[in-house]
């Protein structure tokens, strides 16, 4: 009987030998599917919105046409500006103050004199109209954007759509120097594989030539949704996105909202708001044994001394943020009425956000990185559109819902991500910390120079990093 049972035992053990791995494979597959499904579920709900005046119309579809737009000016507009500049009331600065008290008033007098007597807005309007401008209506408001296609595409080259989003107090004009590098790379000595772009640069609603929301609550989520709709309206199903400042948060939200549409996300500023005991211990240990907490030597160099670079410097540079996140209309109405006040408020950021050491210079170091024509053109975009108040409101709308900008950090970003860390950026986020949110970092570059306004200040460096990042993604 024992002998008769042997074949059955052997047959049973054979079955086990087959069934156990199959069962394990099945369970493993289900577990992998569950994990991947869970990852897909963690997205930001796209939702919908209406930001036009009054109630959303019950009947009728939105006008989805894309309308050519041209920036124009008039003698009346320039005459009004000149009259206001002529009435500039000068306030003497404190001796030796440089930019420690804000915009140095003696240097401001020079800027105003140039603005009044030499700056040619008509000529700059021609510069702005060099690229094709458009308007389209989305969720009840007119969205402005420029759309630049490569003039020539060599055989075999793939054209990649790239959405680039600005921040405050910048504008679409920040990208004017980087656009030709991306659309005609070979012409400018940039031969990064087979990558060439067509570039779409929208104005955030409430900035420049994009209509401001008429309703409360317009935040980065609403902006991300509108920009997805814009790209779809232009015929793109998949595209790359890039941003710094608010553009970083908006494009991150786009990746969190519709990861299947975002081929890759490139950032030159990262928002990470995670706190806690672990982060505190990591910060303390990093000063002495950076390798132990995953910091590189360059991370340590940029991050320490911690209190100076991450507390004192940030507090000094963020006073505007508290005003704009609480009562933007109060300060904003004065800036909207005074071109000199507007210029001082905006250009001060282009000083210390470009290089912290410019604080010690009487001219804020502004003309060492930019021309006055470039700086004043950006100011004029705010002035002629009366958009400074609505641009400042964007802080209130975002911070009112998410005071420490942490809510979105709970949703991971799984699309391929590239980060360009510029040394003069307001804050430095090490790669190990960026991975808390950005789970698929395939490119993290310590840029050799440059600050907050990367595309405006160091267009070639940023263009090279974007192209190298996209090349890596295309090879995945």
């Amino acid at each position: 009987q024992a002998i008769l049972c042997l074949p059955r035992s052997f047959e049973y053990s054979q079955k086990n030998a087959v069934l156990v791995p199959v069962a394990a494979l099945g369970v493993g597959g289900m577990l992998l599917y569950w994990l991947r499904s869970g990852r897909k579920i963690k997205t930001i709900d796209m939702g919908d919105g209406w930001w036009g005046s009054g109630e959303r119309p019950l009947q009728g579809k939105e006008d989805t046409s894309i309308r050519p737009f041209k920036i124009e000016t008039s003698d009346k507009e320039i005459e009004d500006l000149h009259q206001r500049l002529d009435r500039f009331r000068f306030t003497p600065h404190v001796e030796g103050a440089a930019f420690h008290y804000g915009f140095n008033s003696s240097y401001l007098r020079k800027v105003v004199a140039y603005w009044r007597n030499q700056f040619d807005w008509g000529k700059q309007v021609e510069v702005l109209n060099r690229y094709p401008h458009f308007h389209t209506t989305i969720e009840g408001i007119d969205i402005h954007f420029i759309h630049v296609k490569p003039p020539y595409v060599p055989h075999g080259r793939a054209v990649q759509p790239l959405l680039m989003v600005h921040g405050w107090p910048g504008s679409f004009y920040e990208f004017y120097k980087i656009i030709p590098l991306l659309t005609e790379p070979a012409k400018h000595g940039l031969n990064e594989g087979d990558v060439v772009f067509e570039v779409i640069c929208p104005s955030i609603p409430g900035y420049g030539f994009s209509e401001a929301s008429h309703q409360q609550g317009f935040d980065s989520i609403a902006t991300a949704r509108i920009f997805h709709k814009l790209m779809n309206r232009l015929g793109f199903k998949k595209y790359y996105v890039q941003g710094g400042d608010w553009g970083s948060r908006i494009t991150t939200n786009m990746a969190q909202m519709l990861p299947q549409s975002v081929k890759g996300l490139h950032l030159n500023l990262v928002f990470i708001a995670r706190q806690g005991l672990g982060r505190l211990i990591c910060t303390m240990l990093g000063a002495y044994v950076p390798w132990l907490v995953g910091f590189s030597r360059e991370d340590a160099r940029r991050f320490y001394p911690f209190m100076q670079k991450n507390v004192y410097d940030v507090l000094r540079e963020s006073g505007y943020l508290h005003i704009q996140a609480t009562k933007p209309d109060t300060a904003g109405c004065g800036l909207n009425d005074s071109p000199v006040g507007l210029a001082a408020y905006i250009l001060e950021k282009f000083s210390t956000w470009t290089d912290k050491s410019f604080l010690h210079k009487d001219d804020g170091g502004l003309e060492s990185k930019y021309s006055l024509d470039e700086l004043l053109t950006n100011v004029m975009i705010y002035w002629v559109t009366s958009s400074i108040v609505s641009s400042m409101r964007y802080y209130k709308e975002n911070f009112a819902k998410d005071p420490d900008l942490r809510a979105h950090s709970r949703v991971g970003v799984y699309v391929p991500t590239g980060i360009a860390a510029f040394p003069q950026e307001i804050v430095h986020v090490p790669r190990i910390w960026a991975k808390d949110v950005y789970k698929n970092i395939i490119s993290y570059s310590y840029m050799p120079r440059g600050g907050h306004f990367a595309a405006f200040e160091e267009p070639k460096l940023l263009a090279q990093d974007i192209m190298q990042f996209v090349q890596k993604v295309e090879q995945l």
Side-chain angles (χ1 to χ4, degrees):
Q1 198 170 17
I3 293 170
L4 288 171
C5 287
L6 280 173
R8 288 183 196 170
S9 299
F10 179 71
E11 186 181 342
Y12 183 72
S13 63
Q14 274 191 317
K15 284 181 180 178
N16 274 354
V18 174
L19 287 174
V20 169
V22 168
L25 190 64
V27 171
M30 289 175 66
L31 182 62
L32 183 63
Y33 175 80
W34 179 78
L35 287 170
R36 294 177 75 89
S37 297
R39 184 177 288 185
K40 288 178 183 176
I41 289 170
K42 292 179 182 178
T43 58
I44 291 175
D45 181 37
M46 188 163 182
D48 200 7
W50 169 259
W51 310 104
S53 182
E55 296 291 325
R56 187 174 202 158
L58 296 175
Q59 300 294 329
K61 293 184 178 179
E62 190 166 67
D63 177 8
T64 59
S65 65
I66 295 170
R67 306 175 293 277
F69 170 74
K70 192 173 182 180
I71 299 171
E72 296 178 344
T73 187
S74 66
D75 291 341
K76 184 179 179 181
E77 182 176 71
I78 295 171
E79 183 182 340
D80 174 70
L81 171 67
H82 287 174
Q83 288 175 356
R84 291 169 185 267
L85 293 176
D86 287 338
R87 293 196 298 268
F88 167 42
R89 291 201 302 174
F90 174 74
T91 304
H93 68 275
V94 178
E95 291 182 12
F99 264 58
H100 287 275
Y101 284 68
F103 205 105
N104 183 290
S105 56
S106 290
Y107 179 62
L108 182 60
R109 180 181 261 175
K110 177 188 172 182
V111 172
V112 172
Y114 181 88
W115 197 359
R116 173 63 178 84
N117 302 313
Q118 293 174 261
F119 178 77
D120 187 342
W121 174 233
K123 181 181 176 182
Q124 293 307 114
V125 165
E126 291 179 12
V127 171
L128 292 174
N129 284 325
R130 180 187 305 159
Y131 297 127
H133 294 249
F134 302 91
H135 266 156
T136 191
T137 305
I138 304 177
E139 298 188 6
I141 53 177
D142 282 348
I143 306 302
H144 162 260
F145 63 98
I146 56 174
H147 185 180
V148 188
K149 298 180 181 180
Y152 168 72
V153 181
H155 181 71
R157 289 273 178 109
V159 179
Q160 301 294 345
L162 173 65
L163 179 83
M164 302 189 78
V165 186
H166 66 89
W168 187 92
S171 65
F172 66 92
Y173 177 60
E174 284 181 70
F175 302 116
Y176 267 52
K177 288 187 279 189
I178 198 173
I179 286 172
L181 307 183
L182 297 170
T183 56
E184 302 177 86
K187 184 178 176 181
H188 297 88
L190 296 170
N191 296 303
E192 297 293 344
D194 297 324
V195 179
V196 64
F197 298 92
E198 60 179 294
V199 181
I200 300 91
C201 300
S203 294
I204 298 171
Y207 289 68
F209 298 98
S210 275
E211 185 178 356
S213 170
H214 298 265
Q215 310 294 329
Q216 294 182 38
F218 187 85
D219 59 4
S220 63
I221 298 292
T223 313
R225 181 178 63 244
I226 282 175
F227 287 171
H228 271 308
K229 290 181 177 181
L230 170 63
M231 294 300 280
N232 289 332
R233 192 170 291 184
L234 291 172
F236 301 114
K237 300 301 178 188
K238 291 190 174 183
Y239 33 88
Y240 287 92
V241 294
Q242 198 283 332
D245 197 87
W246 280 124
S248 169
R249 184 168 167 93
I250 292 164
T251 53
T252 294
N253 290 162
M254 291 178 75
Q256 293 166 319
M257 187 179 286
L258 291 178
Q260 67 272 24
S261 295
V262 177
K263 293 182 75 175
L265 167 68
H266 187 278
L267 306 171
N268 54 278
L269 173 65
V270 174
F271 289 103
I272 297 292
R274 181 181 161 189
Q275 298 165 351
L277 182 60
R279 183 57 55 86
L280 177 62
I281 293 171
C282 183
T283 299
M284 293 171 67
L285 289 174
Y288 304 99
V289 280
W291 52 269
L292 189 63
V293 296
F295 287 3
S296 68
R297 286 185 179 180
E298 185 62 20
D299 286 329
R301 193 180 71 79
R302 295 186 183 192
F303 199 66
Y304 299 101
F306 177 81
M307 289 301 291
Q308 180 63 50
K309 294 185 176 181
N310 298 276
V311 179
Y312 302 146
D313 287 354
V314 172
L315 282 173
R316 185 190 66 227
E317 296 300 329
S318 59
Y320 81 99
L321 188 151
H322 191 79
I323 293 171
Q324 294 178 191
T326 52
K327 297 183 179 181
D329 287 30
T330 304
C333 67
L335 301 177
N336 192 51
D337 190 59
S338 167
V340 177
L342 180 68
Y345 196 73
I346 288 177
L347 296 186
E348 181 243 301
K349 305 308 177 194
F350 280 87
S351 170
T352 47
W353 291 4
T354 296
D355 191 319
K356 299 176 187 73
S357 70
F358 287 172
L359 194 72
H360 309 297
K361 296 189 174 185
D362 290 339
D363 63 355
L366 284 168
E367 292 177 76
S368 63
K369 292 288 185 175
Y370 317 100
S371 72
L372 285 180
D373 280 344
E374 290 171 345
L375 293 168
L376 290 171
T377 296
N378 183 66
V379 172
M380 284 295 289
I381 289 169
Y382 282 87
W383 176 254
V384 300
T385 59
S386 294
S387 60
I388 187 62
V389 178
S390 51
S391 75
M392 292 164 70
R393 285 179 190 152
Y394 201 64
Y395 286 76
K396 183 170 179 64
E397 302 295 15
N398 281 284
F399 282 95
K401 296 177 183 177
D402 188 10
D404 55 5
L405 299 183
R406 265 166 132 195
H408 305 162
S409 297
R410 300 187 189 103
V411 180
V413 175
Y414 293 94
V415 305
T417 302
I419 297 171
F422 285 84
Q424 289 295 330
E425 185 55 88
I426 301 166
V427 290
H428 175 70
V429 176
R431 180 176 185 149
I432 191 77
W433 287 10
K435 286 170 69 176
D436 287 348
V437 175
Y438 302 94
K439 310 295 185 182
N440 189 14
I441 298 174
I442 65 168
S443 170
Y444 185 102
S445 308
Y446 296 99
M447 307 306 281
R449 62 185 179 276
H452 188 73
F453 303 99
F456 204 35
E457 181 194 349
E458 295 290 349
K460 193 164 187 176
L461 283 180
L462 184 61
Q464 285 175 325
D465 201 71
I466 293 169
M467 296 176 79
Q468 288 166 6
F469 161 69
V470 170
Q471 193 177 9
K472 285 182 181 178
V473 176
E474 292 298 310
Q475 290 171 352
L476 291 176

